[in-house]
Amino acid sequence: MQHQIVPPIPSKNMIAEEIPQWLNTSVYLNISHNMITGIEPGAVMSTYVVDLSYNMLNSFPNSLSFNGLVYLSIKNNSVSGEIPASMCNITQLRLVDFSNNKFSGQIPTCFFNLSLVIVKLQNNQLQGQIPELTDNIRHSFQALDLSENRLEGLIPKSLGHCEGLAFINLGKNKLSGDFPSWLSKLPKLGILVLRSNFLSGAINFSFEESPFQGLCMLDISTNQFSGKLPMSLLLSLNAMKTFDISHARMVGVHNILGYGTAWEVGMTIKGATLSYQDEIWFFMNTIDLSNNYFEGEILEEIGDLKWLQALRISNNKLRGSIPKNFGGLQQLESLDLSHNHLSGEIPEELTKLNFLEYLNLSYNNLVGRIPQSLQFSTFDAGSFEGNPSLCGPPLLLPCEANESTTSIPFLVLKQANEERMWKYTSVALGFGVGFGTTISFSLFLNNGRGFDILWRRCYCPWA
């Protein structure tokens, strides 16, 4: 369906008070970034795009009539109360952005009966369970953001039937249950954020399943996942193995009647929470498994994720050494393995990561000398603290005073001294035996008299 785009009502004009009943446009109403406080009851908006974002709305009329509405944004206001059930009557609606308000109550079940493309309800006070999705929305759905609410219960399995889904953010809720493995076959899924929930259990995938082929952002941090580190899952992330422009634009800017609708997601990278939007042509390939109960070792094959840019597995129960194949992660900018039980030395291969801006290996059981290079010289002591057997700059502990680095040279020196001492002792014993033999033989030749005298003096002094 094509519509002629007419010039919008300019935003950012300090328009205040309520929207009057008579205000109407044929296609496009954009009065965002003003000081609008409400909408008069009985107002009819026969328009396709309504943008009331960044105003001072504190309520949304339940009886508001929208004829043919396709796009509705009231993000960044102070609207409270429940999502109006009348929204379910807007059958042409494709995009809803109610983010950053104070909506409470449950998401209307009928809400997901519509042919929605993008739903953004993040940062509200919504409660209850996420409704199951019907066939109407399964064929059109592309992006879902319900993060930063109070939603609970299980993640609906019907999400796994939405083959067009490219963006899912359910972070910072109270969701429970197992890892949603049924999402693994979604061909276009590029971003999956489930952080800060109560999800639990082990994550098991086999290499044959090849899950999440297009995933570029995976954040399951701050849950209760346990068991072995899900290496089969990580090593199946083919979008992080080779650069593909189609993956970089997988969750691109959607245009509805010429109006851009961007997604946004915050990720903890480089020691801070950074916000990424789809306006940028390329976004970070990130994996965040931190603050769980994963155990076991990190396999060498992790180095196959050559386009991985940020890896965070801190605050788990990992053991073993840091793989040398980390040196193959040439695009890596942020690495956080802190608060685990990793042992062994820091691989010299990490010094080859020229783009590495943030490194945190603190509070493990690492030993030996910290590698020295131009890149490593940029990291402060906080990157290595909590490893009692690490030495060298930027730590204050010099390597010559550290047992883990001086024990081997000491043993070598001790062995060399022992060999030298045995050599000298052997020479001395040989000389003594030879000298004694010579004297004894000389005395014996002297008719035995000297030997007899010597024997009497040494062993028979009374004779």
Side-chain angles (χ1 to χ4, degrees):
M1 180 173 59
Q2 299 293 327
H3 300 276
Q4 181 180 3
I5 304 300
V6 298
I9 296 177
S11 61
K12 302 181 182 180
N13 278 300
M14 306 296 288
I15 300 175
E17 304 302 331
E18 293 185 336
I19 297 176
Q21 293 185 13
W22 51 262
L23 181 61
N24 203 345
T25 61
S26 60
V27 173
Y28 196 117
L29 175 63
N30 180 5
I31 45 179
S32 62
H33 295 86
N34 284 286
M35 296 183 292
I36 296 172
T37 58
I39 303 173
E40 285 188 4
V44 177
M45 296 185 181
S46 299
T47 183
Y48 297 104
V49 172
V50 174
D51 189 350
L52 303 176
S53 60
Y54 297 95
N55 275 285
M56 301 175 65
L57 294 172
N58 52 35
S59 64
F60 198 70
N62 199 11
S63 59
L64 190 63
S65 176
F66 291 103
N67 296 330
L69 184 65
V70 174
Y71 178 111
L72 175 61
S73 175
I74 57 171
K75 68 178 181 180
N76 291 86
N77 280 277
S78 299
V79 180
S80 59
E82 297 185 355
I83 296 176
S86 59
M87 293 291 301
C88 300
N89 299 325
I90 311 175
T91 58
Q92 299 297 318
L93 194 61
R94 296 295 179 267
L95 182 142
V96 176
D97 191 349
F98 288 175
S99 57
N100 302 315
N101 278 283
K102 298 178 181 179
F103 281 106
S104 58
Q106 299 186 3
I107 301 174
T109 302
C110 62
F111 200 62
F112 287 147
N113 289 335
L114 305 174
S115 299
L116 294 169
V117 176
I118 300 175
V119 175
K120 302 175 69 177
L121 304 178
Q122 72 268 26
N123 193 22
N124 279 282
Q125 301 170 16
L126 297 171
Q127 301 174 349
Q129 296 187 348
I130 302 173
E132 291 285 349
L133 283 68
T134 63
D135 290 337
N136 290 337
I137 196 172
R138 290 177 184 176
H139 300 296
S140 59
F141 218 11
Q142 295 183 24
L144 174 65
D145 194 340
L146 303 179
S147 61
E148 299 183 63
N149 280 285
R150 302 171 185 175
L151 300 171
E152 56 189 11
L154 304 178
I155 298 173
K157 289 189 176 182
S158 53
L159 280 174
H161 300 293
C162 302
E163 295 187 355
L165 262 177
F167 178 96
I168 299 176
N169 188 354
L170 304 178
K172 294 187 178 180
N173 279 287
K174 299 179 180 181
L175 300 174
S176 57
D178 297 332
F179 180 80
S181 57
W182 54 88
L183 299 176
S184 64
K185 296 301 182 181
L186 295 180
K188 297 183 179 180
L189 188 61
I191 296 176
L192 177 60
V193 179
L194 303 175
R195 69 168 177 265
S196 299
N197 279 287
F198 297 105
L199 302 173
S200 60
I203 301 178
N204 297 313
F205 285 96
S206 65
F207 286 104
E208 291 75 17
E209 293 181 78
S210 300
F212 298 109
Q213 292 291 294
L215 206 61
C216 297
M217 285 187 175
L218 173 63
D219 186 351
I220 58 173
S221 62
T222 317
N223 278 283
Q224 299 173 8
F225 291 119
S226 58
K228 297 293 184 180
L229 191 68
M231 291 302 302
S232 295
L233 167 61
L234 301 183
L235 299 179
S236 296
L237 303 178
N238 286 339
M240 300 188 188
K241 293 181 180 179
T242 57
F243 177 72
D244 189 339
I245 188 64
S246 65
H247 293 313
R249 291 294 296 166
M250 183 164 296
V251 191
V253 175
H254 302 268
N255 286 287
I256 298 178
L257 299 178
Y259 198 81
T261 58
W263 58 261
E264 181 177 353
V265 61
M267 302 289 289
T268 302
I269 299 172
K270 303 177 184 179
T273 300
L274 305 179
S275 179
Y276 292 88
Q277 294 185 348
D278 65 351
E279 282 90 352
I280 56 177
W281 74 275
F282 181 72
F283 50 77
M284 295 285 287
N285 291 321
T286 64
I287 297 174
D288 193 342
L289 311 180
S290 62
N291 297 297
N292 282 288
Y293 302 99
F294 290 122
E295 55 188 18
E297 298 184 358
I298 307 173
L299 299 183
E300 289 280 346
E301 288 81 0
I302 195 77
D304 294 340
L305 304 178
K306 298 185 182 300
W307 280 91
L308 180 62
Q309 293 167 279
L311 176 62
R312 188 167 177 245
I313 325 181
S314 58
N315 288 283
N316 279 282
K317 299 180 179 181
L318 301 181
R319 296 185 180 275
S321 59
I322 300 174
K324 293 182 179 181
N325 279 10
F326 266 63
L329 304 176
Q330 291 298 310
Q331 303 300 317
L332 199 64
E333 299 180 21
S334 178
L335 177 61
D336 189 348
L337 304 177
S338 62
H339 294 273
N340 280 288
H341 306 293
L342 299 173
S343 57
E345 297 184 346
I346 301 174
E348 289 285 344
E349 285 76 6
L350 290 184
T351 63
K352 301 177 183 178
L353 302 179
N354 297 325
F355 293 115
L356 193 63
E357 297 179 14
Y358 178 83
L359 176 67
N360 193 349
L361 304 178
S362 62
Y363 297 96
N364 279 286
N365 299 317
L366 301 173
V367 301
R369 183 185 299 274
I370 297 174
Q372 300 299 308
S373 71
L374 293 177
Q375 193 67 22
F376 262 62
S377 65
T378 63
F379 305 132
D380 57 24
S383 297
F384 309 100
E385 65 183 2
N387 292 279
S389 296
L390 276 183
C391 65
L395 298 178
L396 298 178
L397 181 64
C399 285
E400 56 269 22
N402 186 276
E403 294 181 1
S404 63
T405 58
T406 59
S407 57
I408 294 178
F410 175 77
L411 290 175
V412 173
L413 179 60
K414 181 179 180 181
Q415 183 178 3
N417 289 338
E418 289 177 350
E419 291 178 354
R420 192 181 303 112
M421 182 65 69
W422 174 248
K423 180 179 179 180
Y424 293 156
T425 303
S426 299
V427 172
L429 288 174
F431 177 79
V433 171
F435 180 73
T437 302
T438 302
I439 293 177
S440 300
F441 185 70
S442 176
L443 293 174
F444 178 78
L445 290 178
N446 193 14
N447 297 324
R449 292 191 299 255
F451 180 80
D452 181 66
I453 295 171
L454 181 62
W455 184 87
R456 288 175 179 271
R457 288 182 178 178
C458 292
Y459 297 97
C460 301
W462 58 85

